[in-house]
Amino acid sequence: MSHGNEVQRYAANERWNHWLTAITFVLLAASGLAFFHPTFWSLSAVLGGGELSRMLHPIIGVVMFVSFMIFAIQKFSDNVMRSYDWKWLGQIGDVLANRDDRLPAVGKYNAGQKLAYWAMLLTMLALMVSGIIIWRQYFSHMFAIDTLRLAALVHAVAGALLIITIIVHVYAAIWVKGTIGAMTKGTVSRAWAKHHHPLWYQSIDKR
Ligand code: HEM
């Protein structure tokens, strides 16, 4: 769909869902860091203090997981790595130095975005499975202590990796000018689409 000089990149329901994932992520990262180390304890205020954080963190975790999975399933085929993506990745020096003219044409997402997608998907799955195991209220009594310890470790490592991935994701969204609008108003300029995602632009231009 196009609107004059702009082309549609995300529908309204996709944007609402993405921002639900983003808001729940911030609440979970803050409360999770507060549980992880006393240095971050003040962050528990985000969910109303220690007791409320312990109660709400797992519930909000389920909301983030479901909302992310709906979006991730919708975007699955757009994130499969193609031969030109590996070539793009091999030229990461050109990407970082803004020598875009030397880069191979890519589809709806570039290889950096695709790898971030897979990192998000894998860490989300690890967080959900390990989170259920260590959920005191309902499930943890069903597991042996060694399983609980392993799950707690997996939960912390996956959480840290997801936080790092999201920092890179947000930085890249701001760094590539004209990208944030894709997730706020749902559209990008034709020039942005042609320049950054030429194969995607060709495919929507034909519609
Ligand atoms: C917190 C602030 C966040 C900002 C500012 C932000 C911004 C954006 C923007 C601008 C896009 C569109 C990129 C494009 O179409 O090229 C996008 C896409 C996306 N975002 Fe976020 N995001 C945030 C948080 C998150 C979180 C917490 C997650 C998941 C845990 C997430 C997952 C995704 C995914 C999966 C895509 C589609 C890219 C792909 O499928 O490869 N975002 N985001």
Side-chain angles (χ1 to χ4, degrees):
M1 202 178 19
S2 68
H3 315 264
N5 223 11
E6 297 273 299
V7 285
Q8 179 96 35
R9 195 154 162 90
Y10 295 103
N13 64 341
E14 293 177 312
R15 291 180 338 252
W16 279 109
N17 191 24
H18 171 270
W19 291 122
L20 176 64
T21 308
I23 291 165
T24 49
F25 167 80
V26 172
L27 299 176
L28 289 160
S31 51
L33 285 168
F35 299 147
F36 184 71
H37 196 272
T39 314
F40 301 113
W41 182 245
S42 55
L43 291 175
S44 67
V46 172
L47 286 185
E51 286 173 8
L52 271 176
S53 292
R54 258 196 98 178
M55 189 189 105
L56 294 174
H57 181 95
I59 297 168
I60 298 173
V62 174
V63 175
M64 176 177 77
F65 180 78
V66 172
S67 125
F68 174 79
M69 287 314 280
I70 292 171
F71 190 52
I73 289 166
Q74 289 168 335
K75 300 292 156 214
F76 187 87
S77 56
D78 289 325
N79 282 288
V80 174
M81 290 289 280
R82 313 269 172 199
S83 54
Y84 49 77
D85 289 315
W86 295 110
K87 195 160 179 280
W88 187 96
L89 213 53
Q91 287 177 242
I92 197 73
D94 288 330
V95 176
L96 296 176
N98 287 325
R99 290 188 290 264
D100 293 3
D101 50 314
R102 296 195 194 170
L103 296 171
V106 298
K108 182 154 189 183
Y109 300 113
N110 63 43
Q113 291 176 296
K114 290 183 180 182
L115 292 184
Y117 170 92
W118 290 107
M120 289 174 198
L121 189 63
L122 292 178
T123 51
M124 282 281 175
L125 289 169
L127 283 165
M128 192 66 224
V129 173
S130 58
I132 294 282
I133 295 173
I134 58 174
W135 195 344
R136 284 276 165 216
Q137 181 86 20
Y138 302 114
F139 305 105
S140 65
H141 64 273
M142 299 175 191
F143 298 93
I145 185 67
D146 288 346
T147 312
L148 291 179
R149 284 185 181 146
L150 181 64
L153 179 67
V154 168
H155 204 74
V157 171
L161 290 176
L162 182 59
I163 290 173
I164 294 167
T165 307
I166 297 303
I167 290 172
V168 174
H169 175 70
V170 174
Y171 182 81
I174 296 167
W175 184 51
V176 180
K177 262 203 192 128
T179 306
I180 295 285
M183 235 356 134
T184 50
K185 50 191 168 74
T187 59
V188 288
S189 71
R190 284 180 183 278
W192 183 96
K194 242 186 254 181
H195 184 84
H196 296 292
H197 301 278
L199 300 181
W200 173 67
Y201 183 68
Q202 278 169 24
S203 73
I204 51 166
D205 205 29
K206 287 192 199 108
R207 274 185 230 158

